[in-house]
Amino acid sequence: MIEPDRIDNFRRLLKYGAGRLPGVVVILTVLFLYIPVFVVAYLSVSPSGQPTIPIEEFSLQWYIDVLTDQRFLRALMTSIGLGVFSAIGGTILGLAGAYSLTWSDLSRPIQQAIGVIISLPLFVPTVVLAFGIGVTAGHIGIGFGLVPVAVGHLFWVLPFTTFLIAARYAELDIQLQAAARDLGATEWTVFRTVTLPLLRPAIIASALFAFALSFNEFLITFFLAGSGITTVPLEIFGKVRVGAVAFLNAASVLVLAVSAVLAGVASTFRRPI
């Protein structure tokens, strides 16, 4: 028979161990995610073309090379343009899709069918999605290039923008809109003065998220760009193939900085009271 004191000690061990477990998991997760980032950032300030740890001296040479590389700058401008297009187009379509899924007068089966269609890019392999867009673009005479890439990015971001805005739509009090209509406001006035301000945090978050997804998208761009279009992920992939390690370190840090800025801007927005 087990002594009561041992049972109590075992219970205390489980209690305190379980209490510390979430903190340990968080620490291990942070280390797993960010140690590689810190290593890349550390190596990016080495003047050597093949940096090693520890580095002997610090230099911003590779950042200057990245920011003065004309091919990389063209890729950066293309990625920014595609990101802006995806942010605007994806948010507008997401707003319409979110309304259809939440507040529209459509029957429940139709709303569910719309939701399934919008969510397909999340379940269909990206390579299949890119191949389908490429085949369709070829059959209608567009071919490869900027247009099919932009359409592919729009397909990719649409589920994220739609469901993000739909989550906010579902939280709104529909009686506010009804009260505005009772006071004589038109549908457009209700949307512009009541609904849109309440949705603003979700809309901004949707646009930032769509931009980040488009800016970092590789596979769709790789399949649809052809030879005349290059983006930052494609340019980084090209540098990987030629073994430009030092250039890659600096370029990767800059891309991470863009993502960090987007996250910082998104965190400044708060839900309306």
Side-chain angles (χ1 to χ4, degrees), residues 28 44 59 110 139 251 261:
L28 292 177
S44 69
S59 172
I110 294 179
H139 276 82
V261 169

Side-chain angles (χ1 to χ4, degrees), residues 9 60 73 79 82 97 116 133 144 160 177-178 181 196 204 208 219 236 241 258 262:
N9 291 335
L60 298 179
L73 291 178
S79 291
L82 287 170
V116 169
I133 295 173
F144 297 102
F160 299 95
Q177 284 74 11
R181 294 188 190 94
L196 195 59
I204 295 174
L208 292 172
L219 195 56
I236 290 177
R241 298 176 65 181
V258 171
L262 290 175

Side-chain angles (χ1 to χ4, degrees), residues 2-271:
I2 302 176
E3 297 179 3
D5 291 341
R6 292 186 178 181
I7 295 176
D8 292 339
N9 291 335
F10 182 69
R11 287 175 177 173
R12 282 195 294 268
L13 179 62
L14 288 178
K15 177 181 178 181
Y16 292 119
R20 294 188 180 95
L21 183 60
V24 173
V25 171
V26 169
I27 292 173
L28 292 177
T29 302
V30 169
L31 292 176
F32 176 78
L33 291 176
Y34 289 103
I35 283 181
V37 174
F38 292 139
V39 170
V40 170
Y42 175 70
L43 294 177
S44 69
V45 294
S46 170
S48 172
Q50 297 292 329
T52 58
I53 297 176
I55 60 178
E56 297 180 355
E57 58 180 317
F58 296 92
S59 172
L60 298 179
Q61 170 191 340
W62 296 109
Y63 287 97
I64 297 173
D65 288 350
V66 170
L67 295 176
T68 56
D69 185 281
Q70 293 302 314
R71 183 177 175 85
F72 183 85
L73 291 178
R74 286 196 300 269
L76 179 62
M77 296 307 298
T78 302
S79 291
I80 291 175
L82 287 170
V84 171
F85 172 78
S86 299
I88 296 175
T91 301
I92 292 174
L93 293 177
L95 186 62
Y99 176 82
S100 300
L101 295 175
T102 53
W103 281 13
S104 67
D105 296 328
L106 299 174
S107 64
R108 188 62 180 170
I110 294 179
Q111 288 182 341
Q112 291 176 341
I114 293 174
V116 169
I117 293 172
I118 292 175
S119 63
L120 278 178
L122 298 177
F123 302 101
V124 176
T126 308
V127 63
V128 176
L129 177 64
F131 179 74
I133 295 173
V135 170
T136 303
H139 276 82
I140 63 178
I142 296 177
F144 297 102
L146 189 61
V147 173
V149 170
V151 172
H153 283 211
L154 201 58
F155 268 100
W156 174 237
V157 305
L158 182 58
F160 299 95
T161 58
T162 299
F163 295 129
L164 197 156
I165 297 176
R168 179 58 186 156
Y169 248 124
E171 296 176 352
L172 300 186
D173 186 357
I174 199 172
Q175 294 181 353
L176 296 175
Q177 284 74 11
R181 294 188 190 94
D182 291 341
L183 293 174
T186 63
E187 289 294 332
W188 169 246
T189 302
V190 172
F191 177 77
R192 181 174 54 86
T193 60
V194 179
T195 307
L196 195 59
L198 294 174
L199 291 175
R200 185 176 293 119
I203 290 174
I204 295 174
S206 170
L208 292 172
F209 196 31
F211 182 93
L213 287 171
S214 174
F215 188 85
N216 294 297
E217 174 55 40
F218 170 75
L219 195 56
I220 291 176
T221 312
F222 181 76
F223 269 82
L224 301 177
S227 59
I229 300 297
T230 183
T231 62
V232 170
L234 289 184
E235 187 65 16
I236 290 177
F237 178 70
K239 296 297 184 182
V240 170
R241 298 176 65 181
V242 299
V245 177
F247 187 97
L248 281 170
N249 289 334
S252 299
V253 172
L254 291 176
V255 172
L256 288 170
V258 171
S259 301
V261 169
L262 290 175
V265 173
S267 67
T268 61
F269 294 98
R270 298 290 185 267
R271 291 172 53 183

